[in-house]
Amino acid sequence: MRPSSLSFLLLQLCLPVAWASVTVYNQQPFGDQTKSVASGSNTAAAAAYTGSAAYDPTVLDAPGVPNPAPPTKFFQQLSSAPVPGLSIPQSGYFFGFSVEFSVANQVLGTNSTRLAVPFLNLMANIQARGGSVRVRVGGNTQDYATMFPSLPGGKMLLKQAQDTANPTDTPALLFTPDVLYMMANISALVNVEWYLGIPLNDTANLRLQIAEAAEPILGDKLIGFQVGNEPDQYPLHQHRPPTYGPANFSADFGLVDAALLFRVNGSRKKCGTSTLSRPLAESR
Ligand SMILES: *[C@@H]1O[C@H](CO)[C@@H](O)[C@H](O)[C@H]1NC(C)=O
Ligand SMILES: *[C@@H]1O[C@H](CO)[C@@H](O)[C@H](O)[C@H]1NC(C)=O
Ligand SMILES: *[C@@H]1O[C@H](CO)[C@@H](O)[C@H](O)[C@H]1NC(C)=O
Ligand SMILES: *[C@@H]1O[C@H](CO)[C@@H](O)[C@H](O)[C@H]1NC(C)=O
Ligand SMILES: *[C@@H]1O[C@H](CO)[C@@H](O)[C@H](O)[C@H]1NC(C)=O
């Protein structure tokens, strides 16, 4: 007999023994009712209801306050001295948030004439406390986004089922300037200022139409462009060869910066160095 068969047999012999020694613990004191009732725990009548459990009309009685009762007043010593380690004062818009470009038509509105009322309400609520709200429209989808004067069916945004050799399965995005009009119409109602993600998938053929259109449409409500999304992940996401490093991104960024300066002169917005997938300190 081979050792493996032997151990299988032994296991079979052992099984009933193991089953016989299972210990069941109960929650104290609820499973303890068979023990002395005089020791302080209370009992309740067993449920008499026999209908469907979903319609059980039983109302549980709250147990009495223990004796001695727990404290209901607490003393907290407040300090009038400045709390150590405070940051510099921050504006109410310090925390903004980000809307992925591809879902702008689901979060912000269907198009420039059909704004999403829940979004407007949320912005108004935050504005009431923070003064203004800063929203980034961009993300993985910004890098392959292309602007068209119009799209089939009067659509503002379309996802192309194109294989961009992208492990994040990000579809190439087609959009019309109506996205920008939608953002402008939102800013006409609530004090939202925008960061706009612009594409960086192809530095040989920059697609800066979005920047060119956004400047006049959004005006002062456009506070910056974001160039490249998570560039530290570009090699991993196969957007760039494996040798692509910080110096390469810096060169790419410089290209876009120079191109923006050339195309969108005068009131040109600042370019941000884009969002990294992780804080810089971690992405060494
Ligand atoms: C927005 O969408 C609605 C509904 O499809 C349509 O009636 C309206 O014309 C669209 N507005 C624009 C500016 O395309
Ligand atoms: C960049 O994205 C555009 C739009 O999806 C696409 O047509 C183009 O081929 C891409 N270029 C590169 C180098 O991936
Ligand atoms: C709102 O959108 C329309 C297009 O639907 C555009 O003509 C108009 O200029 C926009 N309003 C603002 C304040 O940007
Ligand atoms: C990154 O930059 C280095 C130095 O200029 C260059 O040799 C290398 O080919 C670049 N890699 C990519 C992927 O662009
Ligand atoms: C671009 O803007 C700068 C600064 O405002 C100005 O000096 C320059 O003449 C402008 N160039 C063009 C081509 O308009």
Side-chain angles (χ1 to χ4, degrees):
M1 193 183 268
R2 283 174 303 149
S4 59
S5 312
L6 179 65
S7 52
F8 178 68
L9 186 69
L10 282 176
L11 186 66
Q12 278 187 318
L13 289 173
C14 290
L15 276 177
V17 180
W19 286 345
S21 63
V22 165
T23 309
V24 178
Y25 296 94
N26 55 43
Q27 191 188 357
Q28 304 294 333
F30 304 112
D32 209 20
Q33 289 169 4
T34 49
K35 292 214 183 127
S36 118
V37 175
S39 69
S41 41
N42 287 326
T43 55
Y49 180 73
T50 52
S52 170
Y55 301 100
D56 189 337
T58 306
V59 176
L60 298 179
D61 294 326
V65 177
N67 188 10
T72 54
K73 286 186 178 150
F74 303 92
F75 178 73
Q76 177 69 49
Q77 179 63 57
L78 300 178
S79 167
S80 54
V83 180
L86 280 185
S87 77
I88 57 169
Q90 300 293 348
S91 307
Y93 52 70
F94 180 63
F95 280 113
F97 56 93
S98 168
V99 176
E100 184 71 36
F101 202 155
S102 55
V103 297
N105 60 342
Q106 294 166 51
V107 179
L108 307 183
T110 316
N111 60 29
S112 64
T113 52
R114 289 215 175 169
L115 307 182
V117 175
F119 180 78
L120 292 174
N121 285 340
L122 176 62
M123 293 304 105
N125 281 336
I126 302 175
Q127 181 189 337
R129 290 158 182 81
S132 73
V133 197
R134 298 195 161 183
V135 182
R136 189 281 298 251
V137 175
N140 276 317
T141 42
Q142 84 188 38
D143 272 330
Y144 287 84
T146 309
M147 193 168 92
F148 289 88
S150 64
L151 289 172
K155 291 250 166 60
M156 173 185 79
L157 216 138
L158 275 182
K159 282 168 221 163
Q160 206 175 36
Q162 169 194 304
D163 180 21
T164 52
N166 192 337
T168 53
D169 282 336
T170 310
L173 200 68
L174 317 179
F175 67 96
T176 72
D178 203 42
V179 175
L180 304 166
Y181 283 113
M182 176 176 71
M183 290 157 66
N185 275 322
I186 289 170
S187 290
L189 296 169
V190 282
N191 195 11
V192 175
E193 297 174 302
W194 306 93
Y195 291 104
L196 197 56
I198 59 182
L200 190 68
N201 76 314
D202 194 346
T203 34
N205 304 287
L206 294 177
R207 296 189 307 290
L208 297 180
Q209 294 84 351
I210 184 171
E212 202 173 2
E215 284 274 345
I217 294 174
L218 289 168
D220 286 349
K221 295 297 180 182
L222 177 64
I223 48 179
F225 294 120
Q226 181 218 332
V227 180
N229 186 72
E230 300 181 351
D232 56 327
Q233 300 289 309
Y234 274 4
L236 192 70
H237 291 168
Q238 291 157 32
H239 295 342
R240 293 289 194 280
T243 54
Y244 192 83
N248 304 99
F249 174 66
S250 181
D252 281 354
F253 183 88
L255 267 177
V256 179
D257 192 45
L260 280 175
L261 192 59
F262 183 74
R263 290 192 67 154
V264 192
N265 200 15
S267 66
R268 190 182 77 104
K269 305 298 174 191
K270 284 202 174 74
C271 289
T273 42
S274 87
T275 47
L276 297 167
S277 63
R278 287 162 289 160
L280 266 178
E282 286 175 28
S283 47
R284 263 171 275 151

